[in-house]
Amino acid sequence: MISSIEKIEYGKEIIEFELLQDKRKTFSIEVLPTAKITENKDKQEIFKKVKNKASWITKQKRYFIDNYKKTDEKKYVSGESFRYLGKQYLLKVIESNIDSIKVKNGYFYIEYCSKTPAKLINQWYKNKAFNIFNQELEKCFQKFLSYGFDKPSLKIRKLLKRWGSYNKNKNTITMNIEMIKASKSCIDYVIYHELCHCMYFSHRRAFYDLLETKCHDWKNIKSKLEKIKL
């Protein structure tokens, strides 16, 4: 794959993007805090397509300027706020002779001895994510039984740019562990999204039509998820 940094002018604005050229037949534009273009065509044709999408690209980039924030670095001390399944919990840390976490009345109660509070809560998140994501995948997959594909296996990782992804060759859905901090409706939306990729690899019209039938409120959920600071 060939990668290069390119620029185009749009009015008084300069749009800088990463151009990835490979053997794929489709043209895609991915706007994160930076724009990424994937295509296997002549550069002039690519620039023409980017200019046609310039208004949309600049709108998306403004959204990131207004809303994209790095997660604050946690110190894992009493009084800090942590999210779990869409709700905020305050941390209460107690040095003890045991290692344990309890969730009660809006608090994470952490007693620590041999492990640090950070290790305890991160392991707790991992265990909860494994159980809940598998439960929600099983539930969501019931709506796809008539389509004839096998239920994907599940992996959980820390993803930097995505809430989830689907590997067609391995029939695997990878979920961002940070999703355990979002509500179950957000978790289900991401799972439905990836299950739809089992039928349609690209984001074409048929993909969104299928997503609409499985998750009617997906647009509102997606909008809420993008605004959550996990």
Side-chain angles (χ1 to χ4, degrees), residues 44-192:
Q44 294 303 316
E45 184 177 350
I46 295 171
F47 288 171
K48 183 178 179 181
K49 288 186 176 182
V50 173
K51 284 187 176 182
N52 289 338
K53 291 283 189 178
S55 176
W56 174 78
I57 292 171
T58 54
K59 182 180 178 181
Q60 295 300 310
K61 292 188 75 174
R62 289 191 191 103
Y63 169 85
F64 281 110
I65 291 173
D66 293 337
N67 295 283
Y68 182 80
K69 298 178 181 179
K70 292 183 179 180
T71 302
D72 292 337
E73 185 177 350
K74 297 291 187 181
K75 296 181 180 178
Y76 300 91
V77 296
S78 294
E80 283 188 314
S81 178
F82 285 78
R83 294 180 67 90
Y84 172 59
L85 293 182
K87 296 181 180 180
Q88 293 277 4
Y89 293 85
L90 291 179
L91 200 62
K92 191 164 186 178
V93 179
I94 304 168
E95 191 171 358
S96 179
N97 58 354
I98 61 172
D99 292 319
S100 72
I101 292 183
K102 295 179 181 178
V103 181
K104 186 178 180 181
N105 298 328
Y107 282 90
F108 276 131
Y109 291 94
I110 296 184
E111 294 185 61
Y112 72 98
C113 177
S114 61
K115 297 181 180 179
T116 65
K119 286 185 177 180
L120 285 171
I121 197 168
N122 287 326
Q123 185 60 52
W124 187 87
Y125 272 137
K126 186 175 181 180
N127 293 339
K128 291 294 184 181
F130 179 83
N131 291 329
I132 291 173
F133 292 172
N134 272 292
Q135 290 172 8
E136 296 308 297
L137 175 58
E138 179 64 29
K139 180 188 74 176
C140 295
F141 183 68
Q142 298 306 306
K143 292 187 178 183
F144 291 83
L145 292 176
S146 63
Y147 293 88
F149 60 83
D150 294 333
K151 186 180 77 172
S153 57
L154 179 69
K155 289 185 177 180
I156 300 171
R157 289 178 51 198
K158 175 78 171 181
L159 302 176
L160 297 179
K161 297 180 179 180
R162 297 181 179 183
W163 298 121
S165 65
Y166 174 65
N167 186 312
K168 183 177 181 180
N169 294 330
K170 296 182 179 180
N171 192 32
T172 299
I173 289 176
T174 300
M175 292 286 289
N176 190 335
I177 192 170
E178 294 295 311
M179 284 301 302
I180 195 59
K181 300 174 185 177
S183 67
K184 281 192 176 181
S185 63
C186 290
I187 293 170
D188 288 352
Y189 155 68
V190 174
I191 292 174
Y192 281 129

Side-chain angles (χ1 to χ4, degrees), residues 185-186 189 215-227:
S185 63
C186 290
Y189 155 68
C215 186
H216 303 299
D217 200 30
W218 71 269
K219 291 180 181 178
N220 288 332
I221 297 172
K222 180 176 182 290
S223 178
K224 290 178 182 178
L225 181 58
E226 288 173 342
K227 295 176 183 179

Side-chain angles (χ1 to χ4, degrees), residues 1-6 17-22 35-39 43:
M1 180 181 290
I2 301 173
S3 174
S4 62
I5 302 300
E6 307 290 346
F17 59 93
E18 181 184 5
L19 175 62
L20 305 174
Q21 292 179 276
D22 60 16
K36 181 187 293 185
I37 316 296
T38 306
E39 176 68 317
K43 272 193 177 183

